[in-house]
Amino acid sequence: MMIAVTTEPLDVAAHERAVAHPAAGAVVAFQGVVRDHDDGRGVSVLEYEAHPSAEKILDEVAAEIAARPEVYAVAVSHRVGLLEVGEIALVAAVSTAHRAEAFRACADLVDEVKSRLPVWKRQAFADGTEEWVNSP
């Protein structure tokens, strides 16, 4: 399993290669990309901070999805630090025998990561204001 919380740029193709399996008829990958807007406001940059337990929790979430009988492999990484518009903040990839299972497993993986991972986001807006999202 490829699992990381990192300051390094994320590579979608590397995640797809990490879940390659001879029995896999489907590989689904998701990339969460920093967009230039949020709720009608222009976003100029994001900054992610992670709790020290983040990689352990990411590993737990990935293991839960990987334990499903239809899933062959899982890879997931979240980037932290300062990210510009267009950069990738989250990559998730899953392989299964069939596409419906792969789409479902990848969606569940992303949803669980977004729900459970202790990562907080500071959004800097084009108007000079900022806000923290998902912070305790």
Side-chain angles (χ1 to χ4, degrees):
M1 246 187 314
M2 176 185 235
I3 308 294
V5 175
T6 181
T7 59
E8 296 299 316
L10 301 178
D11 182 345
V12 177
H15 284 72
E16 291 171 332
R17 286 190 302 275
V19 301
H21 190 282
V27 171
V28 170
F30 168 84
Q31 56 183 315
V33 180
V34 176
R35 63 181 181 267
D36 69 355
H37 65 93
D38 187 36
D39 200 25
R41 299 168 72 187
V43 171
S44 55
V45 70
L46 295 183
E47 181 179 11
Y48 289 94
E49 288 190 15
H51 186 273
S53 67
E55 196 159 309
K56 178 182 179 286
I57 292 170
L58 193 61
D59 188 55
E60 290 171 2
V61 170
E64 289 170 14
I65 300 297
R68 294 180 180 183
E70 71 275 14
V71 173
Y72 295 127
V74 171
V76 62
S77 298
H78 201 294
R79 188 154 171 217
V80 294
L82 205 58
L83 280 74
E84 302 288 330
V85 170
E87 291 190 283
I88 301 170
L90 172 67
V91 173
V94 176
S95 63
T96 66
H98 304 285
R99 71 178 179 276
E101 296 165 338
F103 278 114
R104 186 172 33 258
C106 192
D108 291 348
L109 175 60
V110 171
D111 289 345
E112 284 300 308
V113 167
K114 297 293 281 180
S115 171
R116 294 168 45 189
L117 193 66
V119 169
W120 305 281
K121 174 174 68 175
R122 181 181 65 85
Q123 297 187 113
F125 295 104
D127 64 8
T129 62
E130 64 179 44
E131 95 181 334
W132 281 93
V133 180
N134 298 331
S135 62

